[in-house]
mmCIF file with all atom_site columns, all heavy atoms in Angstrom:
data_model
loop_
_atom_site.group_PDB
_atom_site.id
_atom_site.type_symbol
_atom_site.label_atom_id
_atom_site.label_alt_id
_atom_site.label_comp_id
_atom_site.label_asym_id
_atom_site.label_entity_id
_atom_site.label_seq_id
_atom_site.pdbx_PDB_ins_code
_atom_site.Cartn_x
_atom_site.Cartn_y
_atom_site.Cartn_z
_atom_site.occupancy
_atom_site.B_iso_or_equiv
_atom_site.pdbx_formal_charge
_atom_site.auth_seq_id
_atom_site.auth_comp_id
_atom_site.auth_asym_id
_atom_site.auth_atom_id
_atom_site.pdbx_PDB_model_num
ATOM 1   N N   . ILE A 1 128 ? 97.253  101.598 94.631 1.00 93.00 ? 128 ILE A N   1
ATOM 2   C CA  . ILE A 1 128 ? 96.751  101.149 93.267 1.00 93.00 ? 128 ILE A CA  1
ATOM 3   C C   . ILE A 1 128 ? 97.893  101.022 92.250 1.00 93.00 ? 128 ILE A C   1
ATOM 4   O O   . ILE A 1 128 ? 97.898  100.004 91.525 1.00 93.00 ? 128 ILE A O   1
ATOM 5   C CB  . ILE A 1 128 ? 95.744  102.208 92.773 1.00 93.00 ? 128 ILE A CB  1
ATOM 6   C CG1 . ILE A 1 128 ? 94.589  102.343 93.747 1.00 93.00 ? 128 ILE A CG1 1
ATOM 7   C CG2 . ILE A 1 128 ? 95.291  101.843 91.373 1.00 93.00 ? 128 ILE A CG2 1
ATOM 8   C CD1 . ILE A 1 128 ? 93.766  101.024 93.887 1.00 93.00 ? 128 ILE A CD1 1
ATOM 9   N N   . GLU A 1 129 ? 98.869  101.876 92.373 1.00 92.00 ? 129 GLU A N   1
ATOM 10  C CA  . GLU A 1 129 ? 100.038 101.730 91.478 1.00 92.00 ? 129 GLU A CA  1
ATOM 11  C C   . GLU A 1 129 ? 100.760 100.473 91.677 1.00 92.00 ? 129 GLU A C   1
ATOM 12  O O   . GLU A 1 129 ? 101.311 99.851  90.830 1.00 92.00 ? 129 GLU A O   1
ATOM 13  C CB  . GLU A 1 129 ? 100.960 102.990 91.541 1.00 92.00 ? 129 GLU A CB  1
ATOM 14  C CG  . GLU A 1 129 ? 100.428 104.225 90.858 1.00 92.00 ? 129 GLU A CG  1
ATOM 15  C CD  . GLU A 1 129 ? 100.171 103.930 89.404 1.00 92.00 ? 129 GLU A CD  1
ATOM 16  O OE1 . GLU A 1 129 ? 101.069 103.427 88.712 1.00 92.00 ? 129 GLU A OE1 1
ATOM 17  O OE2 . GLU A 1 129 ? 99.112  104.359 88.937 1.00 92.00 ? 129 GLU A OE2 1
ATOM 18  N N   . LEU A 1 130 ? 100.825 100.033 92.952 1.00 91.00 ? 130 LEU A N   1
ATOM 19  C CA  . LEU A 1 130 ? 101.486 98.817  93.301 1.00 91.00 ? 130 LEU A CA  1
ATOM 20  C C   . LEU A 1 130 ? 100.784 97.623  92.771 1.00 91.00 ? 130 LEU A C   1
ATOM 21  O O   . LEU A 1 130 ? 101.327 96.761  92.213 1.00 91.00 ? 130 LEU A O   1
ATOM 22  C CB  . LEU A 1 130 ? 101.585 98.715  94.891 1.00 91.00 ? 130 LEU A CB  1
ATOM 23  C CG  . LEU A 1 130 ? 102.265 97.416  95.446 1.00 91.00 ? 130 LEU A CG  1
ATOM 24  C CD1 . LEU A 1 130 ? 103.602 97.237  94.971 1.00 91.00 ? 130 LEU A CD1 1
ATOM 25  C CD2 . LEU A 1 130 ? 102.082 97.381  96.983 1.00 91.00 ? 130 LEU A CD2 1
ATOM 26  N N   . LEU A 1 131 ? 99.458  97.666  92.800 1.00 91.00 ? 131 LEU A N   1
ATOM 27  C CA  . LEU A 1 131 ? 98.647  96.581  92.297 1.00 91.00 ? 131 LEU A CA  1
ATOM 28  C C   . LEU A 1 131 ? 98.793  96.577  90.794 1.00 91.00 ? 131 LEU A C   1
ATOM 29  O O   . LEU A 1 131 ? 98.771  95.482  90.204 1.00 91.00 ? 131 LEU A O   1
ATOM 30  C CB  . LEU A 1 131 ? 97.081  96.855  92.660 1.00 91.00 ? 131 LEU A CB  1
ATOM 31  C CG  . LEU A 1 131 ? 96.788  96.716  94.167 1.00 91.00 ? 131 LEU A CG  1
ATOM 32  C CD1 . LEU A 1 131 ? 95.344  97.033  94.410 1.00 91.00 ? 131 LEU A CD1 1
ATOM 33  C CD2 . LEU A 1 131 ? 97.054  95.244  94.606 1.00 91.00 ? 131 LEU A CD2 1
ATOM 34  N N   . VAL A 1 132 ? 98.867  97.720  90.157 1.00 90.00 ? 132 VAL A N   1
ATOM 35  C CA  . VAL A 1 132 ? 98.958  97.775  88.660 1.00 90.00 ? 132 VAL A CA  1
ATOM 36  C C   . VAL A 1 132 ? 100.340 97.138  88.263 1.00 90.00 ? 132 VAL A C   1
ATOM 37  O O   . VAL A 1 132 ? 100.449 96.370  87.377 1.00 90.00 ? 132 VAL A O   1
ATOM 38  C CB  . VAL A 1 132 ? 98.901  99.238  88.143 1.00 90.00 ? 132 VAL A CB  1
ATOM 39  C CG1 . VAL A 1 132 ? 99.271  99.286  86.700 1.00 90.00 ? 132 VAL A CG1 1
ATOM 40  C CG2 . VAL A 1 132 ? 97.507  99.773  88.437 1.00 90.00 ? 132 VAL A CG2 1
ATOM 41  N N   . LYS A 1 133 ? 101.376 97.502  89.048 1.00 88.00 ? 133 LYS A N   1
ATOM 42  C CA  . LYS A 1 133 ? 102.737 96.947  88.726 1.00 88.00 ? 133 LYS A CA  1
ATOM 43  C C   . LYS A 1 133 ? 102.782 95.418  88.876 1.00 88.00 ? 133 LYS A C   1
ATOM 44  O O   . LYS A 1 133 ? 103.444 94.708  88.151 1.00 88.00 ? 133 LYS A O   1
ATOM 45  C CB  . LYS A 1 133 ? 103.719 97.586  89.641 1.00 88.00 ? 133 LYS A CB  1
ATOM 46  C CG  . LYS A 1 133 ? 104.151 99.045  89.236 1.00 88.00 ? 133 LYS A CG  1
ATOM 47  C CD  . LYS A 1 133 ? 105.081 99.655  90.249 1.00 88.00 ? 133 LYS A CD  1
ATOM 48  C CE  . LYS A 1 133 ? 105.392 101.173 89.925 1.00 88.00 ? 133 LYS A CE  1
ATOM 49  N NZ  . LYS A 1 133 ? 106.322 101.756 90.942 1.00 88.00 ? 133 LYS A NZ  1
ATOM 50  N N   . LEU A 1 134 ? 102.036 94.954  89.923 1.00 85.00 ? 134 LEU A N   1
ATOM 51  C CA  . LEU A 1 134 ? 102.050 93.544  90.195 1.00 85.00 ? 134 LEU A CA  1
ATOM 52  C C   . LEU A 1 134 ? 101.125 92.772  89.186 1.00 85.00 ? 134 LEU A C   1
ATOM 53  O O   . LEU A 1 134 ? 101.087 91.531  89.223 1.00 85.00 ? 134 LEU A O   1
ATOM 54  C CB  . LEU A 1 134 ? 101.632 93.283  91.659 1.00 85.00 ? 134 LEU A CB  1
ATOM 55  C CG  . LEU A 1 134 ? 102.606 93.692  92.673 1.00 85.00 ? 134 LEU A CG  1
ATOM 56  C CD1 . LEU A 1 134 ? 101.942 93.539  94.108 1.00 85.00 ? 134 LEU A CD1 1
ATOM 57  C CD2 . LEU A 1 134 ? 103.881 92.992  92.628 1.00 85.00 ? 134 LEU A CD2 1
ATOM 58  N N   . GLY A 1 135 ? 100.340 93.576  88.517 1.00 84.00 ? 135 GLY A N   1
ATOM 59  C CA  . GLY A 1 135 ? 99.493  92.888  87.434 1.00 84.00 ? 135 GLY A CA  1
ATOM 60  C C   . GLY A 1 135 ? 98.123  92.451  87.931 1.00 84.00 ? 135 GLY A C   1
ATOM 61  O O   . GLY A 1 135 ? 97.468  91.648  87.243 1.00 84.00 ? 135 GLY A O   1
ATOM 62  N N   . TYR A 1 136 ? 97.748  92.894  89.131 1.00 88.00 ? 136 TYR A N   1
ATOM 63  C CA  . TYR A 1 136 ? 96.402  92.497  89.681 1.00 88.00 ? 136 TYR A CA  1
ATOM 64  C C   . TYR A 1 136 ? 95.265  93.316  89.112 1.00 88.00 ? 136 TYR A C   1
ATOM 65  O O   . TYR A 1 136 ? 94.095  92.779  89.021 1.00 88.00 ? 136 TYR A O   1
ATOM 66  C CB  . TYR A 1 136 ? 96.421  92.535  91.170 1.00 88.00 ? 136 TYR A CB  1
ATOM 67  C CG  . TYR A 1 136 ? 97.295  91.481  91.790 1.00 88.00 ? 136 TYR A CG  1
ATOM 68  C CD1 . TYR A 1 136 ? 98.431  91.774  92.366 1.00 88.00 ? 136 TYR A CD1 1
ATOM 69  C CD2 . TYR A 1 136 ? 96.856  90.130  91.745 1.00 88.00 ? 136 TYR A CD2 1
ATOM 70  C CE1 . TYR A 1 136 ? 99.273  90.798  92.892 1.00 88.00 ? 136 TYR A CE1 1
ATOM 71  C CE2 . TYR A 1 136 ? 97.702  89.081  92.286 1.00 88.00 ? 136 TYR A CE2 1
ATOM 72  C CZ  . TYR A 1 136 ? 98.934  89.491  92.915 1.00 88.00 ? 136 TYR A CZ  1
ATOM 73  O OH  . TYR A 1 136 ? 99.702  88.476  93.463 1.00 88.00 ? 136 TYR A OH  1
ATOM 74  N N   . VAL A 1 137 ? 95.551  94.539  88.747 1.00 89.00 ? 137 VAL A N   1
ATOM 75  C CA  . VAL A 1 137 ? 94.460  95.442  88.187 1.00 89.00 ? 137 VAL A CA  1
ATOM 76  C C   . VAL A 1 137 ? 95.143  96.133  87.012 1.00 89.00 ? 137 VAL A C   1
ATOM 77  O O   . VAL A 1 137 ? 96.316  96.368  86.914 1.00 89.00 ? 137 VAL A O   1
ATOM 78  C CB  . VAL A 1 137 ? 93.964  96.490  89.215 1.00 89.00 ? 137 VAL A CB  1
ATOM 79  C CG1 . VAL A 1 137 ? 93.304  95.799  90.365 1.00 89.00 ? 137 VAL A CG1 1
ATOM 80  C CG2 . VAL A 1 137 ? 95.055  97.382  89.734 1.00 89.00 ? 137 VAL A CG2 1
ATOM 81  N N   . ASN A 1 138 ? 94.245  96.554  85.985 1.00 90.00 ? 138 ASN A N   1
ATOM 82  C CA  . ASN A 1 138 ? 94.683  97.206  84.871 1.00 90.00 ? 138 ASN A CA  1
ATOM 83  C C   . ASN A 1 138 ? 93.578  98.237  84.359 1.00 90.00 ? 138 ASN A C   1
ATOM 84  O O   . ASN A 1 138 ? 93.779  98.786  83.224 1.00 90.00 ? 138 ASN A O   1
ATOM 85  C CB  . ASN A 1 138 ? 95.012  96.297  83.774 1.00 90.00 ? 138 ASN A CB  1
ATOM 86  C CG  . ASN A 1 138 ? 93.917  95.304  83.323 1.00 90.00 ? 138 ASN A CG  1
ATOM 87  O OD1 . ASN A 1 138 ? 92.755  95.460  83.828 1.00 90.00 ? 138 ASN A OD1 1
ATOM 88  N ND2 . ASN A 1 138 ? 94.200  94.474  82.489 1.00 90.00 ? 138 ASN A ND2 1
ATOM 89  N N   . PHE A 1 139 ? 92.499  98.399  85.126 1.00 91.00 ? 139 PHE A N   1
ATOM 90  C CA  . PHE A 1 139 ? 91.414  99.337  84.740 1.00 91.00 ? 139 PHE A CA  1
ATOM 91  C C   . PHE A 1 139 ? 90.762  98.911  83.443 1.00 91.00 ? 139 PHE A C   1
ATOM 92  O O   . PHE A 1 139 ? 90.106  99.764  82.828 1.00 91.00 ? 139 PHE A O   1
ATOM 93  C CB  . PHE A 1 139 ? 91.900  100.784 84.684 1.00 91.00 ? 139 PHE A CB  1
ATOM 94  C CG  . PHE A 1 139 ? 92.177  101.324 86.037 1.00 91.00 ? 139 PHE A CG  1
ATOM 95  C CD1 . PHE A 1 139 ? 93.384  101.111 86.723 1.00 91.00 ? 139 PHE A CD1 1
ATOM 96  C CD2 . PHE A 1 139 ? 91.207  102.148 86.641 1.00 91.00 ? 139 PHE A CD2 1
ATOM 97  C CE1 . PHE A 1 139 ? 93.586  101.710 87.962 1.00 91.00 ? 139 PHE A CE1 1
ATOM 98  C CE2 . PHE A 1 139 ? 91.401  102.668 87.890 1.00 91.00 ? 139 PHE A CE2 1
ATOM 99  C CZ  . PHE A 1 139 ? 92.611  102.430 88.553 1.00 91.00 ? 139 PHE A CZ  1
ATOM 100 N N   . GLU A 1 140 ? 90.802  97.596  83.068 1.00 90.00 ? 140 GLU A N   1
ATOM 101 C CA  . GLU A 1 140 ? 90.136  97.177  81.883 1.00 90.00 ? 140 GLU A CA  1
ATOM 102 C C   . GLU A 1 140 ? 88.556  97.090  82.188 1.00 90.00 ? 140 GLU A C   1
ATOM 103 O O   . GLU A 1 140 ? 87.854  97.569  81.334 1.00 90.00 ? 140 GLU A O   1
ATOM 104 C CB  . GLU A 1 140 ? 90.634  95.817  81.441 1.00 90.00 ? 140 GLU A CB  1
ATOM 105 C CG  . GLU A 1 140 ? 90.050  95.210  80.199 1.00 90.00 ? 140 GLU A CG  1
ATOM 106 C CD  . GLU A 1 140 ? 90.468  95.901  78.978 1.00 90.00 ? 140 GLU A CD  1
ATOM 107 O OE1 . GLU A 1 140 ? 91.598  96.499  78.999 1.00 90.00 ? 140 GLU A OE1 1
ATOM 108 O OE2 . GLU A 1 140 ? 89.746  95.789  77.999 1.00 90.00 ? 140 GLU A OE2 1
#
Side-chain angles (χ1 to χ4, degrees):
I128 298 303
E129 283 304 311
L130 177 62
L131 293 173
V132 171
K133 287 178 183 177
L134 293 173
Y136 290 108
V137 298
N138 57 7
F139 285 84
E140 181 74 23

